[in-house]
Amino acid sequence: MTVARVVADEFAGKVHFVDLESLTDPRHVAGAVATSLGLALKSNDPGLELLDLVRSQKLLIILDSCEHVIETVALLAEQLYQESEQVYLLTTSRELLKVGGEHCCRVLPLEFPPDGSEQTATAVLRYPSAQLLARRVAARAGSFVLTDEEAPLVAEMCRKLDGIPLAIELAAGQVAALGLKNTLARLELLKLAHRSAVARHQTLKATLDWSYNLLSDGERIVLRRIAPFVGHFTLEGARYVAGEPGIGTGEIFDAIAGLVEKSLIATRIDETQAQYRLLGTTRAYALEKLEEHAEVDVVLRRHAEYMAAYLELQRVALPTFESGEADNSSHVPPSGETPTRLKTPTRLKLVRMRCRGG
């Protein structure tokens, strides 16, 4: 809506918002757009009729929540792009439309104070996530002044919430009612709630339910089975831990690609390989699903085997562990390396220490 206000003059006020969340039949997408424009469609081909009615106009159409009707929206967007010159579309979705003329702008989590950074109020409030939390608490409580004493609590909360604006908005309500210390002590990510929001934004769990229900069966399996990884992991790690029963290597790779496209897995590319990570909120949700499907024991066992086998392979290359001078940094095994079951014992202290980054 902020975008709509900023560009309203450029389109002479012809900016139209279409909320597709409650739409259950993809065939009604064109009709929903027409209704927003004040038009009535009468033909058996609503998409083409809509195109005929708007092709000569200059306007902006904002389509919100496209995920569940993505194919129909993509078809409509392609038609408008090919057949009109001044009709612009702005869509919000967890995945790309994959049509001509599309430009993607990813809405990333807000930057938050890293662990070990300066924790004064001035320093913490330099980060957008802390600024948002402070503003939303003030809006609910009437006033809010962050002190140096409470600044570390705000920093920790923003880290736990992964800098996700929705999560921060939801947490602010509890902070206004309970205070920072009490909220942080009882913070349950999936239970944060806001009654006045749209249904799928009332709780983080509702938001994740919405996304999870739109996944393929293979993507659901892989998402819950990679939940044991804390921090970054590789494609090979995902293949080993999320493997059989129920899904093969090719399906796992396709599922990982799909989850990245749908913004459920964060990714980064270093000099040698792609690395993947689940945000804390998504990981908490995936762990619940893992438990629901009674797969906790088998998947945690495979994760432990993977980490232990890799650490055994790397034991000689990690001399600091022999002297007990281990660090807590995240570790990602090299691409293409698939650990096998251990043939010799691995020190328990070593395994437990490194699994935190696995």
Side-chain angles (χ1 to χ4, degrees):
M1 298 309 294
T2 299
V3 173
R5 288 192 292 270
V6 170
V7 302
D9 290 343
E10 182 179 346
F11 289 92
K14 292 184 178 181
V15 179
H16 304 273
F17 180 83
V18 186
D19 185 1
L20 300 176
E21 179 186 1
S22 60
L23 207 64
T24 57
D25 189 338
R27 293 174 297 180
H28 295 159
V29 169
V33 175
T35 299
S36 175
L37 298 175
L39 304 173
L41 302 182
K42 302 175 182 178
S43 75
N44 294 326
D45 193 335
L48 286 178
E49 185 180 1
L50 175 64
L51 178 60
D52 288 338
L53 292 171
V54 303
R55 73 168 73 240
S56 62
Q57 299 184 46
K58 181 178 182 180
L59 49 85
L60 171 64
I61 303 171
I62 301 174
L63 302 179
D64 189 38
S65 304
C66 298
E67 299 93 342
H68 60 307
V69 287
I70 193 75
E71 293 183 3
T72 303
V73 171
L75 178 60
L76 179 61
E78 188 74 53
Q79 290 175 326
L80 290 170
Y81 176 70
Q82 295 291 343
E83 302 294 336
S84 65
E85 295 184 358
Q86 298 191 88
V87 177
Y88 294 82
L89 287 182
L90 174 62
T91 66
T92 67
S93 174
R94 278 193 173 271
E95 56 183 308
L96 296 172
L97 299 183
K98 299 180 182 178
V99 298
E102 182 176 26
H103 296 275
C104 175
C105 179
R106 293 192 178 276
V107 181
L108 300 175
L110 300 176
E111 189 177 1
F112 51 80
D115 195 14
S117 62
E118 185 182 353
Q119 303 286 282
T120 64
T122 300
V124 168
L125 286 174
R126 294 192 186 108
Y127 293 89
S129 59
Q131 294 169 11
L132 177 60
L133 180 63
R135 287 199 305 270
R136 300 318 299 160
V137 173
R140 287 169 169 77
S143 64
F144 177 73
V145 178
L146 183 63
T147 65
D148 286 345
E149 182 181 0
E150 291 184 321
L153 301 180
V154 167
E156 184 179 353
M157 183 173 295
C158 290
R159 285 194 296 271
K160 284 190 172 183
L161 298 173
D162 293 311
I164 299 173
L166 174 61
I168 293 171
E169 291 268 1
L170 297 176
Q174 290 194 5
V175 174
L178 304 175
L180 279 165
K181 184 177 292 186
N182 288 332
T183 299
L184 188 59
R186 63 189 296 275
L187 188 63
E188 295 184 62
L189 298 179
L190 299 182
K191 293 185 178 180
L192 293 174
H194 185 2
R195 282 194 298 271
S196 64
V198 296
R200 70 186 178 96
H201 286 166
Q202 287 181 356
T203 67
L204 281 177
K205 187 177 186 302
T207 300
L208 289 164
D209 279 339
W210 167 271
S211 298
Y212 186 80
N213 291 335
L214 295 173
L215 300 179
S216 68
D217 289 341
E219 289 168 342
R220 293 177 188 178
I221 291 173
V222 170
L223 179 64
R224 64 179 184 257
R225 290 183 182 176
I226 60 176
F229 285 107
V230 179
H232 288 89
F233 59 91
T234 63
L235 199 57
E236 279 300 318
R239 186 203 63 76
Y240 189 89
V241 175
E244 56 186 33
I247 187 168
T249 298
E251 292 174 284
I252 292 172
F253 290 176
D254 289 344
I256 291 290
L259 292 168
V260 170
E261 284 188 354
K262 295 175 175 67
S263 306
L264 287 169
I265 293 180
T267 183
R268 72 182 187 192
I269 306 293
D270 65 13
E271 295 179 357
T272 59
Q273 63 184 322
Q275 298 179 9
Y276 306 93
R277 183 174 72 91
L278 291 177
L279 296 181
T281 48
T282 306
R283 182 173 178 268
Y285 181 86
L287 285 170
E288 282 195 359
K289 291 299 181 183
L290 192 66
E291 188 170 355
E292 284 180 18
H293 287 80
E295 293 180 329
V296 173
D297 290 343
V298 65
V299 172
L300 289 183
R301 187 181 304 114
R302 289 181 68 83
H303 178 261
E305 287 174 357
Y306 176 78
M307 294 306 304
Y310 173 74
L311 291 172
E312 180 66 16
L313 292 172
Q314 294 296 306
R315 183 166 55 88
V316 177
L318 296 171
T320 54
F321 278 86
E322 297 298 318
S323 61
E325 299 175 358
D327 63 31
N328 290 321
S329 61
S330 175
H331 181 75
V332 181
S335 177
E337 182 173 305
T338 304
T340 56
R341 290 181 180 272
L342 285 176
K343 295 182 180 179
T344 57
T346 300
R347 296 174 186 176
L348 180 61
K349 182 176 78 169
L350 180 64
V351 174
R352 291 179 61 191
M353 198 178 298
R354 298 304 296 176
C355 276
R356 292 183 67 254

